Amino acid sequence: MERTAGAASPPVPQPVSAGAPGPVPAAETAVLLDGVPRQRGPLLALPAVAIPRAVPALRPWRLLPTPAGTPVTFFYTLLLALTSLFAEYAGPGLLHAVYQDSSTDVAHLSRTPVFVLLASALWVAGGLLSPYALAFVLVLTALERRIGGARAILVFLAGHVLATLATEVPVGLAVLAGHLPGTSLHRLDYGISYGVAAGVGALCGLLTPWLGRPLLVLVGYSLVMDLVAFQDPMTNWGHLISLSIGTALWPVVRRWHREHRESLAADVSGFGRAAGS
């Protein structure tokens, strides 16, 4: 029905029957809407309803590396898979020679330090089914998502290189002093475990306290028990040293985490402005 505006006519009083509602105050009629029935009666204030915040959906696939989300971890994992397949099917003589050339023992560190420090990080002791292989995938993926791929590799290399030097240099000095035999200069030393331990230590500083602190205590306790068993003390000391290196990097990785989040937010904002233009 079309509404038209005309001259206002004087109001006609209407008889009020018993039980019928009385006149509506002017303050109430001011908010009545034309054409909407059943608006008479006292206005009741509706209680405020708290809208629950959306619970973030669980995305377990983000624990694993992807080419787009975590390219550094993804391609490093692919490289470790290839070297593990080689170790599985290569002959014993060839495999020992390759391990020896990649070993970060004192003899090789004194001749080709850069090469062996990088080459030794291409092998997984025990293959892809070892606990350190699984820890590598989970830890480095989580680090790359929080601080970026290049910085995650820096944390890994810090543990790998510094813990190697911290364990091999005393061996060389002990050989020079006559406390260890000369064969200790050629002890096989390779693998990713030092870098993984440093990554665990750094990651514990980025997780929530109820998760990061118990994880750090659990991993530290496990490494101490390995050292007490005294089966491979030099390697066990290296794991504890690398875990301490990662823990010491907490101020650095937390700053990198903030910068990484700000960079991602700026990229999203810039993409939104470009899409709206």
Side-chain angles (χ1 to χ4, degrees):
M1 180 179 65
E2 184 181 359
R3 297 181 59 210
T4 57
S9 57
V12 179
Q14 300 292 334
V16 179
S17 60
V24 180
E28 183 179 337
T29 57
V31 296
L32 297 180
L33 302 177
D34 293 340
V36 180
R38 302 183 63 85
Q39 297 183 80
R40 301 299 180 179
L43 296 178
L44 300 178
L46 296 177
V49 179
I51 300 177
R53 297 178 61 182
V55 178
L58 295 177
R59 292 175 289 180
W61 58 87
R62 287 179 60 85
L63 298 175
L64 301 177
T66 60
T70 53
V72 172
T73 305
F74 180 83
F75 288 108
Y76 197 169
T77 304
L78 183 61
L79 184 59
L80 291 177
L82 293 177
T83 58
S84 296
L85 287 175
F86 173 82
E88 181 71 23
Y89 295 103
L94 175 61
L95 186 60
H96 180 76
V98 173
Y99 281 162
Q100 190 69 58
D101 291 339
S102 304
S103 174
T104 53
D105 52 51
V106 178
H108 285 90
L109 283 173
S110 61
R111 295 196 302 266
T112 55
V114 176
F115 172 78
V116 294
L117 283 170
L118 294 178
S120 62
L122 299 179
W123 304 98
V124 182
L128 288 179
L129 298 181
S130 69
Y132 279 104
L134 177 61
F136 169 86
V137 173
L138 298 178
V139 170
L140 210 66
T141 298
L143 272 181
E144 184 170 357
R145 292 192 184 280
R146 287 165 172 80
I147 63 176
R151 289 167 172 173
I153 287 296
L154 284 178
V155 172
F156 178 89
L157 289 177
H160 177 71
V161 173
L162 296 180
T164 297
L165 296 178
T167 52
E168 292 292 349
V169 170
V171 171
L173 296 177
V175 171
L176 289 177
H179 298 299
L180 288 176
T183 55
S184 299
L185 299 177
H186 304 279
R187 174 184 179 276
L188 283 180
D189 188 12
Y190 62 92
I192 60 173
S193 59
Y194 290 170
V196 172
V200 171
L203 181 62
C204 288
L206 299 177
L207 301 174
T208 56
W210 64 268
L211 180 59
R213 302 304 188 274
L215 177 61
L216 182 62
V217 171
L218 178 63
V219 173
Y221 175 79
S222 175
L223 296 181
V224 169
M225 289 298 100
D226 290 342
L227 183 61
V228 171
F230 211 73
Q231 295 180 351
D232 190 358
M234 193 184 79
T235 300
N236 296 332
W237 272 118
H239 291 155
L240 282 173
I241 292 171
S242 55
L243 182 69
S244 302
I245 291 171
T247 305
L249 290 175
W250 280 8
V252 177
V253 296
R254 284 169 175 170
R255 186 179 73 248
W256 287 348
H257 182 42
R258 291 192 298 268
E259 293 174 355
H260 188 64
R261 286 189 304 178
E262 293 170 358
S263 176
L264 291 178
D267 291 343
V268 172
S269 177
F271 178 77
R273 287 195 299 268
S277 60

